[in-house]
Amino acid sequence: MALQNVFQQKIENGIQNTLVQTRINLENTLSNMEYASLQLSQEGSVGQSLSKLLASQRVFEQMQLTTEIQRNMNLVNFTNPYLGVILYYFSDPKEFRFQNRDIRTDFEIEALPLLSQVKGASFYGPHTTAYKHSHNSVFSMTRPIDVPGMKPHSVYIYLETNLTLFEKIINKKQYGMSASHILLNQNGKVAYSDDPKLFPPNSDFSLQSTASDYFFQESSEQGWSIVVAIQKRDFEKEFRSWLLKYGGISLASVAISIALALLVWRTVYRPIRKILKEIRLMSGSKFNSQLKLTNIREFDTVLYEFDRMRSNIKELFAEIEQKERTKAHLEVEKLLYQINPHFIHNTLNTIQWIARMNGQDEIDRLVSIFTRVLHYNLGKEGAIVTLNEELGALKDYVALQRIRYDYQFDVRFEIDEALLVQTIPRFILQPIVENALYHGLGDEAGVIEVTVVTQDGYMNIQVKDNGAGMTEEEVSRLLLHRSDTRKAGLGIGLNYVVRMIDVHYGESGRFHIESQIGQGTAMILQLPMTSRGDG
């Protein structure tokens, strides 16, 4: 029942929408005639020429004005192709003047069926055209104009639509079923009907569905209304046609759905089940099962790719097993290598104890510093430490090197104490200072300045020497990791520094070298600020 109501509502909406378009077309037609009439009134040049003609007493001037009026009226007709007959009507005596076409002798404006009156204009129709050689139906209008020297409302402008416009507006075929148009004037009486026997002109009309018709109405702001009457048998026929179409479409949709379901099962679901079976076999570590194809190119392509992936996974598992065996061997070797540092520490402790027993304070101090340096450098590789810890180890290294070089150089520290708790990769400062010592100062006495400050959210570390400086080519070799610093110190080098920055900070960390011949070298580290414990 709900479906029937939906179909009925759709049919009614379609009829109503068509009727709305008919009303709009008729409104536009009447409005266009009203606009054209203003060109012939006193507001336009044609109406002004008419007033001059009626007031003139000179024959030559009257002839000129008559020719001008006739020419201008033809121009109005040409620029408004929807217009048909155009003329001036003089009611006393009854006379048509300046008409653009031949007028029937029995044509009377007073007998035209009034449709509505709006803003001083009267609209008529539909009625038979005033044109002598046609019997087509048209819409028309009159507008009174005041001419000096004549009685009020004694001169009228008359215009009507062309002979084919009425049929375009009142088109019954657009509804797709038998329909009758009824035009009601501003008094609610029938001004026109396709079926004058059932709805005679000038009769009262009631918008009530009868036993044989449905009515749909549209009212215009111009005062008139248009009604369409649809015979019930045609309406019900259209309704049944909608039901049959919907039923046919529904049955076709069900049939197509079933066919598609079968097709999907054959071409999609069954091959997918085969693929899932292969996946389950692989998840159960069964890598040697025989591949079963589906005979569908797309799915077989997937299966071939899956089989290749399965082979790659099998090879990766074998590689991982081999690496685990290798790793176990390395762990054993690592334990063996750890014996050596413990032996070194124990030996150094023995030397330090003998030095103290014999009162060798300088040797005791040297061994103590070297022990701390060795302990820090042989600690866990790649660990994260605080800046304070890294500086402590650096100072021990500097003290050791100063003893070695008989205090021929000096290292000065300028540290922002608020940064001491910041974390950095361990053993990142010593290679920079070591490079400044061996490559910056060389065999000459000099000063190395280590500065750590905050700059734009970064921890800015600068190691600067007052040595001989480097050329751009030498700086490039250092930055391209071609410098070999393993010949001195502990042999880590700047390549370790660059690698640690990349590992821990990526593109956020920065390292660059500034140097000029004769003005020393500055190596600058810029690391993002972190809190203690971050890595």
PDB file of all heavy atoms in Angstrom, residues 282-306:
ATOM      1  N   MET A 282      50.928 -21.719   4.774  1.00  0.00           N
ATOM      2  CA  MET A 282      52.162 -20.994   5.063  1.00  0.00           C
ATOM      3  C   MET A 282      52.221 -20.578   6.530  1.00  0.00           C
ATOM      4  O   MET A 282      53.284 -20.607   7.156  1.00  0.00           O
ATOM      5  CB  MET A 282      52.275 -19.758   4.169  1.00  0.00           C
ATOM      6  CG  MET A 282      53.642 -19.087   4.265  1.00  0.00           C
ATOM      7  SD  MET A 282      53.777 -17.619   3.243  1.00  0.00           S
ATOM      8  CE  MET A 282      52.736 -16.490   4.148  1.00  0.00           C
ATOM      9  N   SER A 283      51.043 -20.151   7.089  1.00  0.00           N
ATOM     10  CA  SER A 283      51.033 -19.762   8.505  1.00  0.00           C
ATOM     11  C   SER A 283      51.361 -20.942   9.406  1.00  0.00           C
ATOM     12  O   SER A 283      51.805 -20.755  10.542  1.00  0.00           O
ATOM     13  CB  SER A 283      49.653 -19.184   8.876  1.00  0.00           C
ATOM     14  OG  SER A 283      48.641 -20.175   8.772  1.00  0.00           O
ATOM     15  N   GLY A 284      51.123 -22.178   8.919  1.00  0.00           N
ATOM     16  CA  GLY A 284      51.492 -23.372   9.675  1.00  0.00           C
ATOM     17  C   GLY A 284      52.894 -23.852   9.369  1.00  0.00           C
ATOM     18  O   GLY A 284      53.223 -25.016   9.628  1.00  0.00           O
ATOM     19  N   SER A 285      53.708 -22.964   8.781  1.00  0.00           N
ATOM     20  CA  SER A 285      55.114 -23.252   8.451  1.00  0.00           C
ATOM     21  C   SER A 285      55.250 -24.375   7.425  1.00  0.00           C
ATOM     22  O   SER A 285      56.256 -25.099   7.405  1.00  0.00           O
ATOM     23  CB  SER A 285      55.900 -23.601   9.727  1.00  0.00           C
ATOM     24  OG  SER A 285      55.879 -22.509  10.624  1.00  0.00           O
ATOM     25  N   LYS A 286      54.241 -24.549   6.574  1.00  0.00           N
ATOM     26  CA  LYS A 286      54.322 -25.532   5.502  1.00  0.00           C
ATOM     27  C   LYS A 286      54.648 -24.792   4.203  1.00  0.00           C
ATOM     28  O   LYS A 286      53.766 -24.296   3.510  1.00  0.00           O
ATOM     29  CB  LYS A 286      53.003 -26.292   5.372  1.00  0.00           C
ATOM     30  CG  LYS A 286      52.665 -27.122   6.612  1.00  0.00           C
ATOM     31  CD  LYS A 286      51.328 -27.857   6.430  1.00  0.00           C
ATOM     32  CE  LYS A 286      51.010 -28.679   7.678  1.00  0.00           C
ATOM     33  NZ  LYS A 286      49.701 -29.381   7.542  1.00  0.00           N
ATOM     34  N   PHE A 287      55.954 -24.717   3.903  1.00  0.00           N
ATOM     35  CA  PHE A 287      56.414 -23.923   2.770  1.00  0.00           C
ATOM     36  C   PHE A 287      56.584 -24.737   1.487  1.00  0.00           C
ATOM     37  O   PHE A 287      56.903 -24.186   0.451  1.00  0.00           O
ATOM     38  CB  PHE A 287      57.755 -23.255   3.114  1.00  0.00           C
ATOM     39  CG  PHE A 287      57.655 -22.241   4.221  1.00  0.00           C
ATOM     40  CD1 PHE A 287      57.998 -22.581   5.515  1.00  0.00           C
ATOM     41  CD2 PHE A 287      57.202 -20.962   3.969  1.00  0.00           C
ATOM     42  CE1 PHE A 287      57.902 -21.653   6.538  1.00  0.00           C
ATOM     43  CE2 PHE A 287      57.102 -20.035   4.993  1.00  0.00           C
ATOM     44  CZ  PHE A 287      57.449 -20.378   6.272  1.00  0.00           C
ATOM     45  N   ASN A 288      56.372 -26.029   1.583  1.00  0.00           N
ATOM     46  CA  ASN A 288      56.658 -26.880   0.429  1.00  0.00           C
ATOM     47  C   ASN A 288      55.401 -27.447  -0.224  1.00  0.00           C
ATOM     48  O   ASN A 288      55.482 -28.415  -0.984  1.00  0.00           O
ATOM     49  CB  ASN A 288      57.577 -28.033   0.861  1.00  0.00           C
ATOM     50  CG  ASN A 288      58.911 -27.525   1.381  1.00  0.00           C
ATOM     51  OD1 ASN A 288      59.487 -26.602   0.812  1.00  0.00           O
ATOM     52  ND2 ASN A 288      59.395 -28.127   2.448  1.00  0.00           N
ATOM     53  N   SER A 289      54.213 -26.867   0.092  1.00  0.00           N
ATOM     54  CA  SER A 289      52.974 -27.373  -0.504  1.00  0.00           C
ATOM     55  C   SER A 289      52.947 -27.033  -1.992  1.00  0.00           C
ATOM     56  O   SER A 289      53.460 -25.996  -2.430  1.00  0.00           O
ATOM     57  CB  SER A 289      51.762 -26.762   0.190  1.00  0.00           C
ATOM     58  OG  SER A 289      51.756 -25.354   0.024  1.00  0.00           O
ATOM     59  N   GLN A 290      52.310 -27.925  -2.769  1.00  0.00           N
ATOM     60  CA  GLN A 290      52.230 -27.732  -4.219  1.00  0.00           C
ATOM     61  C   GLN A 290      51.192 -26.671  -4.552  1.00  0.00           C
ATOM     62  O   GLN A 290      50.080 -26.688  -4.031  1.00  0.00           O
ATOM     63  CB  GLN A 290      51.860 -29.053  -4.905  1.00  0.00           C
ATOM     64  CG  GLN A 290      51.893 -28.963  -6.429  1.00  0.00           C
ATOM     65  CD  GLN A 290      51.593 -30.307  -7.074  1.00  0.00           C
ATOM     66  OE1 GLN A 290      51.359 -31.293  -6.363  1.00  0.00           O
ATOM     67  NE2 GLN A 290      51.618 -30.346  -8.387  1.00  0.00           N
ATOM     68  N   LEU A 291      51.560 -25.724  -5.410  1.00  0.00           N
ATOM     69  CA  LEU A 291      50.672 -24.621  -5.775  1.00  0.00           C
ATOM     70  C   LEU A 291      49.553 -25.115  -6.689  1.00  0.00           C
ATOM     71  O   LEU A 291      49.809 -25.781  -7.698  1.00  0.00           O
ATOM     72  CB  LEU A 291      51.472 -23.519  -6.477  1.00  0.00           C
ATOM     73  CG  LEU A 291      50.732 -22.216  -6.765  1.00  0.00           C
ATOM     74  CD1 LEU A 291      50.371 -21.526  -5.468  1.00  0.00           C
ATOM     75  CD2 LEU A 291      51.596 -21.304  -7.626  1.00  0.00           C
ATOM     76  N   LYS A 292      48.291 -24.800  -6.327  1.00  0.00           N
ATOM     77  CA  LYS A 292      47.125 -25.191  -7.124  1.00  0.00           C
ATOM     78  C   LYS A 292      46.520 -23.938  -7.750  1.00  0.00           C
ATOM     79  O   LYS A 292      46.078 -23.043  -7.036  1.00  0.00           O
ATOM     80  CB  LYS A 292      46.094 -25.905  -6.253  1.00  0.00           C
ATOM     81  CG  LYS A 292      46.594 -27.215  -5.681  1.00  0.00           C
ATOM     82  CD  LYS A 292      45.530 -27.901  -4.829  1.00  0.00           C
ATOM     83  CE  LYS A 292      46.037 -29.221  -4.260  1.00  0.00           C
ATOM     84  NZ  LYS A 292      45.014 -29.880  -3.423  1.00  0.00           N
ATOM     85  N   LEU A 293      46.478 -23.890  -9.081  1.00  0.00           N
ATOM     86  CA  LEU A 293      46.002 -22.716  -9.801  1.00  0.00           C
ATOM     87  C   LEU A 293      44.485 -22.737  -9.930  1.00  0.00           C
ATOM     88  O   LEU A 293      43.828 -23.779  -9.771  1.00  0.00           O
ATOM     89  CB  LEU A 293      46.655 -22.642 -11.178  1.00  0.00           C
ATOM     90  CG  LEU A 293      48.190 -22.558 -11.181  1.00  0.00           C
ATOM     91  CD1 LEU A 293      48.715 -22.528 -12.594  1.00  0.00           C
ATOM     92  CD2 LEU A 293      48.653 -21.326 -10.409  1.00  0.00           C
ATOM     93  N   THR A 294      43.901 -21.560 -10.252  1.00  0.00           N
ATOM     94  CA  THR A 294      42.443 -21.412 -10.370  1.00  0.00           C
ATOM     95  C   THR A 294      41.981 -21.346 -11.821  1.00  0.00           C
ATOM     96  O   THR A 294      40.778 -21.312 -12.082  1.00  0.00           O
ATOM     97  CB  THR A 294      41.993 -20.117  -9.659  1.00  0.00           C
ATOM     98  OG1 THR A 294      42.583 -18.985 -10.334  1.00  0.00           O
ATOM     99  CG2 THR A 294      42.432 -20.114  -8.207  1.00  0.00           C
ATOM    100  N   ASN A 295      42.931 -21.242 -12.756  1.00  0.00           N
ATOM    101  CA  ASN A 295      42.617 -21.071 -14.185  1.00  0.00           C
ATOM    102  C   ASN A 295      41.968 -19.724 -14.492  1.00  0.00           C
ATOM    103  O   ASN A 295      41.317 -19.559 -15.517  1.00  0.00           O
ATOM    104  CB  ASN A 295      41.723 -22.207 -14.696  1.00  0.00           C
ATOM    105  CG  ASN A 295      42.418 -23.552 -14.609  1.00  0.00           C
ATOM    106  OD1 ASN A 295      43.624 -23.643 -14.838  1.00  0.00           O
ATOM    107  ND2 ASN A 295      41.671 -24.595 -14.254  1.00  0.00           N
ATOM    108  N   ILE A 296      42.080 -18.797 -13.575  1.00  0.00           N
ATOM    109  CA  ILE A 296      41.654 -17.409 -13.800  1.00  0.00           C
ATOM    110  C   ILE A 296      42.916 -16.560 -13.741  1.00  0.00           C
ATOM    111  O   ILE A 296      43.621 -16.546 -12.724  1.00  0.00           O
ATOM    112  CB  ILE A 296      40.630 -16.943 -12.750  1.00  0.00           C
ATOM    113  CG1 ILE A 296      39.372 -17.822 -12.827  1.00  0.00           C
ATOM    114  CG2 ILE A 296      40.260 -15.482 -12.966  1.00  0.00           C
ATOM    115  CD1 ILE A 296      38.360 -17.518 -11.745  1.00  0.00           C
ATOM    116  N   ARG A 297      43.213 -15.853 -14.824  1.00  0.00           N
ATOM    117  CA  ARG A 297      44.505 -15.198 -14.978  1.00  0.00           C
ATOM    118  C   ARG A 297      44.846 -14.276 -13.812  1.00  0.00           C
ATOM    119  O   ARG A 297      45.958 -14.315 -13.278  1.00  0.00           O
ATOM    120  CB  ARG A 297      44.534 -14.410 -16.289  1.00  0.00           C
ATOM    121  CG  ARG A 297      45.907 -13.795 -16.592  1.00  0.00           C
ATOM    122  CD  ARG A 297      45.891 -13.087 -17.917  1.00  0.00           C
ATOM    123  NE  ARG A 297      44.943 -11.976 -17.899  1.00  0.00           N
ATOM    124  CZ  ARG A 297      44.703 -11.190 -18.951  1.00  0.00           C
ATOM    125  NH1 ARG A 297      45.331 -11.426 -20.099  1.00  0.00           N
ATOM    126  NH2 ARG A 297      43.832 -10.211 -18.874  1.00  0.00           N
ATOM    127  N   GLU A 298      43.875 -13.445 -13.403  1.00  0.00           N
ATOM    128  CA  GLU A 298      44.154 -12.468 -12.354  1.00  0.00           C
ATOM    129  C   GLU A 298      44.513 -13.156 -11.038  1.00  0.00           C
ATOM    130  O   GLU A 298      45.489 -12.792 -10.364  1.00  0.00           O
ATOM    131  CB  GLU A 298      42.950 -11.542 -12.148  1.00  0.00           C
ATOM    132  CG  GLU A 298      42.694 -10.566 -13.288  1.00  0.00           C
ATOM    133  CD  GLU A 298      42.006 -11.203 -14.485  1.00  0.00           C
ATOM    134  OE1 GLU A 298      41.646 -12.396 -14.375  1.00  0.00           O
ATOM    135  OE2 GLU A 298      41.835 -10.514 -15.516  1.00  0.00           O
ATOM    136  N   PHE A 299      43.727 -14.182 -10.670  1.00  0.00           N
ATOM    137  CA  PHE A 299      43.994 -14.866  -9.408  1.00  0.00           C
ATOM    138  C   PHE A 299      45.250 -15.726  -9.510  1.00  0.00           C
ATOM    139  O   PHE A 299      45.998 -15.863  -8.532  1.00  0.00           O
ATOM    140  CB  PHE A 299      42.789 -15.716  -9.004  1.00  0.00           C
ATOM    141  CG  PHE A 299      41.645 -14.920  -8.479  1.00  0.00           C
ATOM    142  CD1 PHE A 299      40.552 -14.636  -9.278  1.00  0.00           C
ATOM    143  CD2 PHE A 299      41.652 -14.424  -7.178  1.00  0.00           C
ATOM    144  CE1 PHE A 299      39.492 -13.900  -8.795  1.00  0.00           C
ATOM    145  CE2 PHE A 299      40.597 -13.684  -6.691  1.00  0.00           C
ATOM    146  CZ  PHE A 299      39.511 -13.405  -7.501  1.00  0.00           C
ATOM    147  N   ASP A 300      45.491 -16.310 -10.679  1.00  0.00           N
ATOM    148  CA  ASP A 300      46.717 -17.079 -10.832  1.00  0.00           C
ATOM    149  C   ASP A 300      47.943 -16.192 -10.718  1.00  0.00           C
ATOM    150  O   ASP A 300      48.984 -16.612 -10.201  1.00  0.00           O
ATOM    151  CB  ASP A 300      46.701 -17.804 -12.185  1.00  0.00           C
ATOM    152  CG  ASP A 300      45.735 -18.985 -12.189  1.00  0.00           C
ATOM    153  OD1 ASP A 300      45.301 -19.389 -11.093  1.00  0.00           O
ATOM    154  OD2 ASP A 300      45.409 -19.478 -13.285  1.00  0.00           O
ATOM    155  N   THR A 301      47.826 -14.950 -11.196  1.00  0.00           N
ATOM    156  CA  THR A 301      48.926 -13.995 -11.027  1.00  0.00           C
ATOM    157  C   THR A 301      49.206 -13.753  -9.550  1.00  0.00           C
ATOM    158  O   THR A 301      50.360 -13.716  -9.104  1.00  0.00           O
ATOM    159  CB  THR A 301      48.587 -12.667 -11.729  1.00  0.00           C
ATOM    160  OG1 THR A 301      48.356 -12.903 -13.113  1.00  0.00           O
ATOM    161  CG2 THR A 301      49.722 -11.664 -11.562  1.00  0.00           C
ATOM    162  N   VAL A 302      48.116 -13.596  -8.770  1.00  0.00           N
ATOM    163  CA  VAL A 302      48.267 -13.414  -7.317  1.00  0.00           C
ATOM    164  C   VAL A 302      48.926 -14.639  -6.696  1.00  0.00           C
ATOM    165  O   VAL A 302      49.809 -14.527  -5.831  1.00  0.00           O
ATOM    166  CB  VAL A 302      46.888 -13.141  -6.674  1.00  0.00           C
ATOM    167  CG1 VAL A 302      47.016 -13.099  -5.147  1.00  0.00           C
ATOM    168  CG2 VAL A 302      46.302 -11.829  -7.173  1.00  0.00           C
ATOM    169  N   LEU A 303      48.484 -15.843  -7.123  1.00  0.00           N
ATOM    170  CA  LEU A 303      49.057 -17.066  -6.564  1.00  0.00           C
ATOM    171  C   LEU A 303      50.543 -17.194  -6.912  1.00  0.00           C
ATOM    172  O   LEU A 303      51.352 -17.627  -6.076  1.00  0.00           O
ATOM    173  CB  LEU A 303      48.282 -18.272  -7.077  1.00  0.00           C
ATOM    174  CG  LEU A 303      46.912 -18.508  -6.410  1.00  0.00           C
ATOM    175  CD1 LEU A 303      46.143 -19.584  -7.143  1.00  0.00           C
ATOM    176  CD2 LEU A 303      47.098 -18.880  -4.945  1.00  0.00           C
ATOM    177  N   TYR A 304      50.915 -16.839  -8.152  1.00  0.00           N
ATOM    178  CA  TYR A 304      52.328 -16.880  -8.535  1.00  0.00           C
ATOM    179  C   TYR A 304      53.155 -15.928  -7.657  1.00  0.00           C
ATOM    180  O   TYR A 304      54.239 -16.285  -7.183  1.00  0.00           O
ATOM    181  CB  TYR A 304      52.498 -16.501 -10.005  1.00  0.00           C
ATOM    182  CG  TYR A 304      52.178 -17.625 -10.967  1.00  0.00           C
ATOM    183  CD1 TYR A 304      51.279 -17.438 -12.010  1.00  0.00           C
ATOM    184  CD2 TYR A 304      52.793 -18.874 -10.836  1.00  0.00           C
ATOM    185  CE1 TYR A 304      50.975 -18.474 -12.893  1.00  0.00           C
ATOM    186  CE2 TYR A 304      52.505 -19.915 -11.711  1.00  0.00           C
ATOM    187  CZ  TYR A 304      51.587 -19.709 -12.743  1.00  0.00           C
ATOM    188  OH  TYR A 304      51.297 -20.732 -13.602  1.00  0.00           O
ATOM    189  N   GLU A 305      52.625 -14.707  -7.446  1.00  0.00           N
ATOM    190  CA  GLU A 305      53.319 -13.744  -6.596  1.00  0.00           C
ATOM    191  C   GLU A 305      53.392 -14.241  -5.161  1.00  0.00           C
ATOM    192  O   GLU A 305      54.396 -14.058  -4.467  1.00  0.00           O
ATOM    193  CB  GLU A 305      52.608 -12.382  -6.659  1.00  0.00           C
ATOM    194  CG  GLU A 305      52.688 -11.694  -8.003  1.00  0.00           C
ATOM    195  CD  GLU A 305      54.116 -11.336  -8.390  1.00  0.00           C
ATOM    196  OE1 GLU A 305      54.904 -11.000  -7.483  1.00  0.00           O
ATOM    197  OE2 GLU A 305      54.448 -11.421  -9.590  1.00  0.00           O
ATOM    198  N   PHE A 306      52.293 -14.877  -4.694  1.00  0.00           N
ATOM    199  CA  PHE A 306      52.280 -15.422  -3.337  1.00  0.00           C
ATOM    200  C   PHE A 306      53.323 -16.532  -3.199  1.00  0.00           C
ATOM    201  O   PHE A 306      54.034 -16.611  -2.196  1.00  0.00           O
ATOM    202  CB  PHE A 306      50.888 -15.964  -3.019  1.00  0.00           C
ATOM    203  CG  PHE A 306      50.801 -16.679  -1.698  1.00  0.00           C
ATOM    204  CD1 PHE A 306      50.690 -15.982  -0.511  1.00  0.00           C
ATOM    205  CD2 PHE A 306      50.850 -18.063  -1.649  1.00  0.00           C
ATOM    206  CE1 PHE A 306      50.623 -16.644   0.697  1.00  0.00           C
ATOM    207  CE2 PHE A 306      50.783 -18.742  -0.447  1.00  0.00           C
ATOM    208  CZ  PHE A 306      50.666 -18.025   0.735  1.00  0.00           C
TER     209      PHE A 306
END
